Amino acid sequence: MNDLPETPLLDTVKTPTDLRKLKPAQLRQLSDELREEMISAVGTTGGHLGSGLGVVELTVAIHYIFDTPEDRLIWDVGHQCYPHKILTGRRDRIRTLRQGGGLSGFTKRAESEYDPFGAAHSSTSISAALGFAIANKLNDRPGKAIAVIGDGAMSAGMAYEAMNNAEQAGNRLVVILNDNDMSIAPPVGGLSAYLARVVSSSEYLGLRSLASKVAKKLSRRVHQSLGRAEEYTRGMVAGGTLFEELGFYYVGPIDGHNLDHLIPVLENVRDAKEGPVLVHVVTQKGKGYAPAENAADKYHGVQKFDVITGAQHKGPPGPAKYQDVFGETLSKLADSDDRICAITAAMPGGTGVDKFAKAHPDRAFDVGIAEQHAVTFAAGLAAQGMRPFCAIYSTFLQRAYDQVVHDVAIQNLPVRFAIDRAGLVGADGATHAGSFDVTYLATLPNFVVMAAADEAELAHMTYTAAEYDDGPIALRYPRGGGTGVGVPETLKKLPIGKGRMVREGKKVAILSLGTRLAEALKAADALEAKGLSTSVADLRFAKPLDEALIRKLLTTHEVAVTVEEGAIGGLGAHVLTMASDEGLTDAGLKLRTMRLPDAFQDQDKPEKQYDEAHLNAEHIVETVLGALRWNESSKQGGASA
């Protein structure tokens, strides 16, 4: 356990109301204490670290200057909101972050009035803030909407769609661009801060065209006189011009860690009659914690760690992660097939595409937070004879559903979808759960949808997808480590739409899709112990169904149960439809479907989430026994069946 830091000033601040009672000179100390508290908390719980450290001063400044929660503060993605949570009445629970029954790792409306809009996917903040601002305008209510969006999230088209419609919000909308990929050379930084104060003043905001001309002239002069002014020029001229064209008053760039710069600029913006305003703030991810500052990924997401050394507490080594099995398998296949390429949307490490990129850099594409583009880009590659694998988390592929339908399925293009994080995902909670992909893909004509039961099956399915050129094909697999079965040296191409029998029985049939297979086999053992002969099938395919295998199981067993790690409308629904169409339940078959509940499940350990979802072995047994109306007095009859 990390020792709690000493935070005498932070101890006096329970809410932003307390914060606003402080003198400006005290805000530096408060920020330092807030940073220490956040490091200590995340060291205890794990979670997103670098992004929150980068916005400590910005968080303090926003809550100090604006009247939150009446002024609506919306954090894009929400993974940087831990300092915000500490300052908004949740410090006493900050060490429950991302744990069962604890605080969400993202913003969440149900958690606090200071979280006016929930988020965990990127690039939604400006659209939402515009909604708040226009609602206030239409109802003649005071109150501003402040959207804080990172430069990574700005790569998504939705952010520009929102900005293109933002002008009507006027001064009720403030967008803060948190740019942690840019640096400001020290001499330019000082001039930039001065200009930001001038340009955000009420006198200057009214002289928009003149401001643009002055900025251009100043930036040219700075560029000529200072060797490291290129990034400053990019911000003041290129960036400023772009945002001005979209209808914003552009202010910046300014140092997001310098409260002497932030406070007066935000005061000017708050009091401005003109708007909307975009404030360009430059920050450093991981700021103030050396291990995070020095890490390549800036400690984006971490396990529990030792605050003194920064060493993360790793669990004992286990089976290979599914994402690594996919990435390594695809890399090997690409060695002998130059048509194979891989596309990901800002998640190369999370999807295994980083491994592919090391081996085949010219055929790996990280398109940023742009899932819609990723899918249609893959469709174009496929139409030109390539074999593209679009590796995207299930929850993020939802963002490109129209492209999946319109650009891939209707044209029957052979795009391969590697769907990571299928099923429940633990600490990331409902926003990242891969609950719906079987439902939203298996309903589409032309699609093939597979689900891997273990690492070996995933490798076979990756090979099968690579060799399948007849239309779109998807393979889904969960987060985390596999079962330990390993990957065979020789891969086999699976026959499309054919499952496999894993265990033969006579009375009960369990039809499994995906990694619930291990639980299905445990359930079969328990049922056999009760004298109930049980078959277990790994269907492998949600679409097309193995109709011959399903028909055989449904007509030769008394009870059949489908089990899957997805929402209603998936495998179970397709099996029920087939059974209904063919009259397979007319003779008295007891058919049950087991799936995720019709609810968004909060974060917890995955095993607890599946227990809550009633998808573990004991629940399969209960479902079978319930269908048979089994009780202990039935034991003799069951044993003789």
Side-chain angles (χ1 to χ4, degrees):
M1 177 70 73
N2 294 308
D3 293 333
L4 298 181
E6 293 186 9
T7 54
L9 191 56
L10 181 60
D11 292 344
T12 68
V13 176
K14 306 300 181 186
T15 68
T17 301
D18 301 320
L19 169 63
R20 293 175 203 124
K21 295 175 183 176
L22 301 179
K23 298 177 180 178
Q26 295 176 288
L27 298 184
R28 179 69 267 164
Q29 178 185 339
L30 181 77
S31 297
D32 293 340
E33 293 180 9
L34 179 58
R35 180 171 277 108
E36 292 299 317
E37 174 70 355
M38 182 193 159
I39 293 169
S40 172
V42 180
T44 302
T45 65
H48 292 97
L49 181 65
S51 52
L53 292 177
V55 297
V56 167
E57 289 82 5
L58 182 60
T59 303
V60 169
I62 291 171
H63 281 298
Y64 189 70
I65 295 300
F66 291 95
D67 185 25
T68 55
E70 293 305 312
D71 288 331
R72 302 297 195 176
L73 173 57
I74 301 169
W75 296 95
D76 206 280
V77 185
H79 63 312
Q80 75 282 60
C81 70
Y82 302 174
H84 161 79
K85 292 195 177 198
I86 293 170
L87 291 178
T88 54
R90 287 168 276 183
R91 185 185 181 190
D92 60 341
R93 294 204 294 148
I94 199 64
R95 288 168 180 79
T96 68
L97 273 168
R98 296 165 57 84
Q99 299 175 21
L103 293 177
S104 169
F106 304 95
T107 51
K108 190 172 184 179
R109 279 174 58 83
E111 208 174 87
S112 171
E113 63 179 337
Y114 289 94
D115 290 0
F117 201 78
H121 292 190
S122 85
S123 315
T124 63
S125 60
I126 304 176
S127 295
L130 181 58
F132 283 107
I134 294 298
N136 282 345
K137 180 179 179 180
L138 292 174
N139 290 281
D140 196 27
R141 290 198 301 257
K144 294 183 182 292
I146 306 105
V148 183
I149 182 168
D151 56 303
M154 271 291 199
S155 71
M158 185 177 178
Y160 293 94
E161 293 174 13
M163 288 192 292
N164 195 44
N165 286 277
E167 193 166 8
Q168 59 190 308
N171 67 348
R172 296 175 182 270
L173 176 65
V174 176
V175 173
I176 298 175
L177 171 56
N178 174 36
D179 184 350
N180 55 34
D181 194 40
M182 177 181 171
S183 63
I184 305 178
V188 181
L191 178 58
S192 174
Y194 169 74
L195 286 175
R197 286 196 297 273
V198 172
V199 172
S200 63
S201 67
S202 58
E203 297 84 356
Y204 206 84
L205 281 173
L207 301 173
R208 184 172 186 163
S209 60
L210 178 59
S212 176
K213 293 176 183 177
V214 170
K216 288 178 181 177
K217 290 182 179 179
L218 280 174
S219 64
R220 187 182 305 114
R221 198 160 62 238
V222 170
H223 180 71
Q224 292 170 346
S225 61
L226 297 173
R228 296 191 61 191
E230 179 182 352
E231 289 173 318
Y232 162 77
T233 307
R234 173 165 66 90
M236 280 298 291
V237 181
T241 300
L242 171 62
F243 298 126
E244 294 272 344
E245 290 295 328
L246 288 169
F248 280 82
Y249 290 81
Y250 174 85
V251 176
I254 58 173
D255 183 350
H257 301 296
N258 190 325
L259 289 160
D260 292 334
H261 295 177
L262 281 173
I263 296 299
V265 168
L266 292 183
E267 281 180 329
N268 284 344
V269 169
R270 178 196 64 193
D271 298 336
K273 296 179 181 179
E274 295 79 12
V277 176
L278 184 137
V279 183
H280 183 173
V281 173
V282 177
T283 62
Q284 179 186 1
K285 203 171 184 183
K287 176 71 172 179
Y289 186 53
E293 288 184 357
N294 297 329
D297 65 350
K298 303 298 185 185
Y299 273 42
H300 174 74
V302 296
Q303 305 293 326
K304 298 177 183 179
F305 64 91
D306 183 277
V307 169
I308 303 299
T309 66
Q312 297 186 48
H313 301 311
K314 301 289 187 181
K321 293 181 179 179
Y322 283 103
Q323 67 204 49
D324 294 337
V325 171
F326 165 73
E328 291 167 3
T329 302
L330 192 64
S331 295
K332 291 177 182 177
L333 293 173
D335 289 341
S336 57
D337 188 344
D338 59 10
R339 293 169 294 176
I340 291 175
C341 49
I343 302 146
T344 188
M347 291 290 177
T351 58
V353 170
D354 59 338
K355 299 183 181 303
F356 182 93
K358 288 179 181 178
H360 307 284
D362 292 341
R363 287 185 274 156
F365 305 94
D366 181 355
V367 301
I369 302 173
E371 291 84 4
Q372 292 173 301
H373 164 64
V375 171
T376 304
F377 172 46
L381 286 166
Q384 192 62 11
M386 299 298 286
R387 286 178 161 175
F389 277 76
C390 206
I392 299 178
Y393 291 6
S394 171
T395 186
F396 297 146
L397 188 58
Q398 294 163 186
R399 313 189 83 180
Y401 190 56
D402 182 60
Q403 286 67 32
V404 172
V405 176
H406 180 269
D407 299 334
V408 177
I410 289 177
Q411 301 188 89
N412 201 33
L413 288 169
V415 175
R416 290 89 175 155
F417 291 94
I419 303 176
D420 204 318
R421 273 40 173 197
L424 301 175
V425 294
D428 280 334
T431 56
H432 282 60
S435 306
F436 311 112
D437 55 273
V438 173
T439 300
Y440 68 65
L441 293 180
T443 192
L444 298 176
N446 300 327
F447 247 90
V448 173
V449 181
M450 304 180 284
D454 55 40
E455 304 95 302
E457 285 290 295
L458 175 56
H460 293 317
M461 288 179 179
T462 302
Y463 176 53
T464 301
E467 293 292 312
Y468 185 77
D469 294 316
D470 293 337
I473 187 168
L475 52 146
R476 77 188 307 255
Y477 45 95
R479 177 182 188 174
T483 64
V485 300
V487 177
E489 284 294 322
T490 303
L491 300 180
K492 60 185 179 183
K493 186 163 62 172
L494 304 178
I496 300 299
K498 296 297 178 183
R500 58 174 177 146
M501 288 301 301
V502 182
R503 183 167 180 161
E504 300 278 357
K506 296 180 179 179
K507 189 178 184 72
V508 178
I510 303 175
L511 287 67
S512 176
L513 181 72
T515 55
R516 286 296 95 186
L517 180 63
E519 294 297 312
L521 289 169
K522 289 180 188 176
D525 288 339
L527 292 167
E528 291 280 357
K530 295 180 178 293
L532 298 171
S533 179
T534 302
S535 294
V536 177
D538 174 15
L539 288 186
R540 283 177 167 157
F541 292 84
K543 186 172 187 174
L545 291 175
D546 189 339
E547 294 187 359
L549 177 58
I550 294 170
R551 189 177 297 112
K552 178 182 177 182
L553 291 171
L554 268 53
T555 55
T556 58
H557 292 72
E558 186 176 337
V559 177
V561 179
T562 66
V563 185
E564 62 188 306
E565 298 161 323
I568 190 170
L571 173 72
H574 286 264
V575 171
L576 282 172
T577 299
M578 174 192 162
S580 173
D581 289 348
E582 298 190 12
L584 300 179
T585 58
D586 295 354
L589 169 73
K590 299 174 177 64
L591 179 57
R592 303 289 186 269
T593 65
M594 298 183 68
R595 60 205 177 272
L596 293 178
D598 186 26
F600 292 107
Q601 291 181 247
D602 286 333
Q603 75 274 3
D604 210 328
K605 294 181 178 179
E607 57 269 26
K608 290 187 177 180
Q609 289 183 313
Y610 280 113
D611 199 55
E612 179 186 319
H614 286 195
L615 281 178
N616 287 330
E618 64 183 279
H619 306 113
I620 299 173
V621 172
E622 289 173 3
T623 299
V624 170
L625 299 184
L628 288 169
R629 298 184 180 177
W630 172 279
N631 53 47
E632 288 306 311
S633 65
S634 308
K635 186 179 296 184
Q636 184 175 354
S640 63

